[in-house]
Amino acid sequence: MSDITQRLIYLAVVLVIAIVLRLVLVVIINRSVRALAARTPDPDSSTMSGRSGALIARAGGVSRERQRQRVTTLGSLMRNVVDVVIGIVTLLTVLSIFGIPMAPLLASAGVGGVAIGFGAQSLVKDYLSGIFMLAEDQFGVGDIITVGDIKGTVLEVTLRVTKLRDFTGVVWYVRNGEILTLGNISQGFSVEWIEIPVAIDEDPDKVISVLRDALDGMSEEEAYADVLMDQPEVLGVDSMAGGTMIIKLAVQAHANQHWAAVREVRRRAQEACAAAGIRKPILYPSTPQ
């Protein structure tokens, strides 16, 4: 058997092993992704009824979707890593089979790697930060986040950059390595504090009672049952200054879904105070200089 034939046989064997190994690893990754995506259990709605059952079922659905998106992204990343590693090892093995000296090549690659490493520190930082953000599920596409002075909706998340669109329509590209502090408005719940100003000489107990009656049962109404997590709460007198007494209210809703409920609370509070004859803040005339 000639030398060239033997090398071609070795080449075929290496390629077959590389292809089989890649297929096996991809199958393992795909099965792991499906298993992790299905790990979040379904809420047992058969034992729940009414608003509580609906809220728990809805939360479970959101959790399952976030889990699926997260593990799918990580699975895609792992498949890319497998392709790169197997490709590099296969290339080096093929070069070795055909007698191409590897020492100068590896030495050149090492020197080049050091040079590139010094010049691409920020790029490596971006990629590592992107990997950790995806692994920790800090945010996902569709979430509203705050990064520094930028607040907007996440349009796309890659290992290097995160793309946001703020509320004026501007699209921002933020390098993952530059994200030091991040706030996610779309996870958990939102709490809005509402201040109701009335005249300082009004009876606070009367004002609180009127507001509570006006907001009673709002969380059970069909329009707000899936939005509000609890009944709007009248906390009491928050401050008094000049001719104004501030009554503080709190509205707790599902993440980033409180806007309509807050506007409705303000409307009902205004109408209830007007109907009960509760006066607006007293405006004292300014003292002439």
Side-chain angles (χ1 to χ4, degrees):
M1 183 181 296
S2 63
D3 183 62
I4 187 65
T5 302
Q6 186 176 10
R7 292 188 178 185
L8 290 176
I9 293 176
Y10 288 159
L11 173 62
V13 171
V14 169
L15 293 178
V16 170
I17 293 175
I19 294 173
V20 172
L21 180 60
R22 181 189 179 279
L23 290 176
V24 171
L25 292 176
V26 168
V27 169
I28 293 175
I29 292 173
N30 289 339
R31 290 185 177 180
S32 300
V33 167
R34 287 194 294 268
L36 290 173
R39 174 175 293 181
T40 304
D42 293 334
D44 186 9
S45 58
S46 62
T47 59
M48 307 172 193
S49 61
R51 180 167 177 263
S52 298
L55 292 179
I56 294 175
R58 181 175 181 179
V62 173
S63 177
R64 286 194 303 274
E65 181 63 20
R66 289 301 295 265
Q67 175 81 351
R68 186 193 64 78
Q69 293 176 352
R70 178 184 177 189
V71 299
T72 299
T73 304
L74 292 177
S76 176
L77 174 63
M78 292 301 298
R79 284 190 292 269
N80 291 336
V81 171
V82 167
D83 290 341
V84 171
V85 172
I86 292 180
I88 293 175
V89 173
T90 302
L91 177 61
L92 295 178
T93 305
V94 170
L95 293 177
S96 177
I97 290 175
F98 285 95
I100 299 176
M102 302 298 298
L105 182 61
L106 293 177
S108 300
V111 174
V114 172
I116 293 175
F118 279 112
Q121 294 182 44
S122 60
L123 185 62
V124 174
K125 180 181 178 182
D126 293 339
Y127 275 94
L128 289 177
S129 299
I131 291 173
F132 282 112
M133 285 192 300
L134 291 174
E136 296 170 0
D137 192 28
Q138 296 180 10
F139 58 87
V141 175
D143 286 353
I144 297 179
I145 64 174
T146 300
V147 180
D149 296 331
I150 303 172
K151 180 178 180 180
T153 303
V154 179
L155 299 179
E156 184 180 356
V157 182
T158 66
L159 292 181
R160 194 178 72 86
V161 297
T162 296
K163 184 162 68 173
L164 307 172
R165 184 186 299 277
D166 66 17
F167 299 119
T168 64
V170 178
V171 176
W172 298 83
Y173 294 86
V174 183
R175 287 171 42 201
N176 294 332
E178 299 300 319
I179 299 178
L180 302 179
T181 303
L182 182 145
N184 193 328
I185 302 174
S186 299
Q187 289 184 352
F189 57 88
S190 299
V191 176
E192 181 77 8
W193 307 100
I194 301 176
E195 296 182 347
I196 305 298
V198 298
I200 195 170
D201 57 353
E202 287 286 349
D203 182 3
D205 292 332
K206 175 185 176 182
V207 178
I208 292 172
S209 177
V210 167
L211 292 175
R212 285 176 177 169
D213 291 341
L215 302 176
D216 184 40
M218 182 175 173
S219 61
E220 304 296 334
E221 297 177 8
E222 182 178 356
Y224 304 102
D226 293 336
V227 175
L228 295 175
M229 300 182 65
D230 201 355
Q231 181 72 20
E233 185 177 1
V234 182
L235 302 177
V237 179
D238 185 63
S239 64
M240 292 184 293
T244 304
M245 176 172 59
I246 300 296
I247 306 297
K248 199 70 167 283
L249 282 68
V251 178
Q252 184 177 10
H254 289 284
N256 200 40
Q257 298 183 27
H258 59 285
W259 308 107
V262 167
R263 288 192 290 269
E264 179 64 14
V265 167
R266 288 196 175 101
R267 186 189 69 82
R268 295 188 184 190
Q270 167 62 23
E271 290 182 351
C273 289
I278 297 174
R279 293 175 296 122
K280 295 180 179 180
I282 301 173
L283 301 179
Y284 294 108
S286 57
T287 303
Q289 299 293 330

